Amino acid sequence: MCSGARNCGKSTLALQIGHNRSARGLQGVIFTRDDRAGEGKLSSRLGLVTEAVEAAPGMDLYAYLVDQMSRGGKVDYVIVDEAQFLAPEQIDQLGRVVDDLDLDVFAFGITTDFRTKLFPGSQRLIELADRIETLQVEAMCWCGARATHNARTVGGEMVVEGEQVVVGDVNRPAEEIGYEVLCRRHHRRRMTSASAHAGSLSPDVLPVTPA
């Protein structure tokens, strides 16, 4: 499992892994859920897009792969993007893919939601994954610090209530439902770039009391 905050390059890495393996003649299946580019797409904010299989709720991922292979399809590896949106039982199915079909599964996703609570799919991945890696490309908070938390915004203001899954993006207009990555301090203070009137990257300063 590869995890990180939004905007840290998870989908880009997923696309790169797929490209590197296809360049060596390997064939894989890409699963995704609720990608920003639409159903059945894996996209990166760099503008790269490829076709994928939409892992719909209730879909048996293990059975899908077994069916593909029984029909003569070649499957050498599996990539899963937006893995946090999968149901825990679908994560169990991916574990079975690794153990019973002897296929490598590369899962990419964020671990916590806008309330800092674990997604059920991410929790199950943490419990089952052979290896968990945090991406080294750091997303940045508006203050310039490392961003570790995902904030949901409406009209530029951070919200902490609502459905766990609402599809949005970090590049949406401020008046729409969107997401912003923040450091822990500014997530705790509910200070988005809009609410803090951050025109440039500048850290908070300590208050100064005249002598």
Side-chain angles (χ1 to χ4, degrees):
M1 174 185 179
C2 290
S3 66
R6 289 177 180 270
N7 211 26
C8 72
K10 296 182 297 298
S11 297
T12 302
L13 179 57
L15 287 163
Q16 184 67 55
I17 287 176
H19 172 76
N20 290 351
R21 279 158 178 74
S22 64
R24 293 292 178 264
L26 301 177
Q27 296 181 27
V29 171
I30 300 174
F31 291 112
T32 190
R33 168 82 65 82
D34 294 335
D35 188 272
R36 68 185 73 84
E39 184 174 325
K41 303 288 184 182
L42 167 56
S43 67
S44 163
R45 292 188 178 88
L46 297 181
L48 303 173
V49 183
T50 192
E51 297 296 323
V53 178
E54 187 75 11
M59 179 181 180
D60 189 325
L61 307 185
Y62 177 84
Y64 177 90
L65 292 169
V66 169
D67 181 66
Q68 292 295 304
M69 298 170 73
S70 65
R71 293 171 181 266
K74 183 181 180 184
V75 181
D76 297 306
Y77 61 92
V78 177
I79 291 174
V80 184
D81 197 34
E82 306 292 1
Q84 72 274 4
F85 295 146
L86 299 185
E89 57 266 25
Q90 290 176 311
I91 302 301
D92 288 336
Q93 293 158 13
L94 292 175
R96 190 178 176 192
V97 168
V98 174
D99 296 338
D100 295 355
L101 302 183
D102 199 26
L103 297 177
D104 289 330
V105 174
F106 303 92
F108 299 83
I110 59 179
T111 53
T112 57
D113 63 15
F114 68 104
R115 301 165 300 185
T116 70
K117 303 297 184 181
L118 282 170
F119 284 97
S122 298
Q123 177 178 334
R124 193 60 179 145
L125 266 171
I126 293 170
E127 293 166 347
L128 292 184
D130 294 315
R131 185 173 63 196
I132 300 173
E133 296 183 4
T134 301
L135 295 189
Q136 298 305 307
V137 178
E138 294 185 351
M140 294 180 64
C141 178
W142 61 265
C143 69
R146 177 172 177 260
T148 54
H149 290 59
N150 303 293
R152 180 180 295 169
T153 61
V154 177
E157 298 292 329
M158 179 175 159
V159 296
V160 294
E161 295 182 354
E163 296 293 329
Q164 186 174 50
V165 179
V166 175
V167 179
D169 199 5
V170 294
N171 296 320
R172 290 203 174 183
E175 64 272 13
E176 297 182 11
I177 294 177
Y179 291 90
E180 182 174 349
V181 288
L182 301 172
C183 63
R184 183 180 63 243
R185 174 174 57 178
H186 287 131
H187 189 279
R188 180 170 53 83
R189 296 177 181 177
R190 303 186 187 180
M191 291 178 63
T192 65
S193 57
S195 64
H197 304 291
S200 61
L201 297 179
S202 58
D204 286 353
V205 296
L206 295 174
V208 177
T209 302

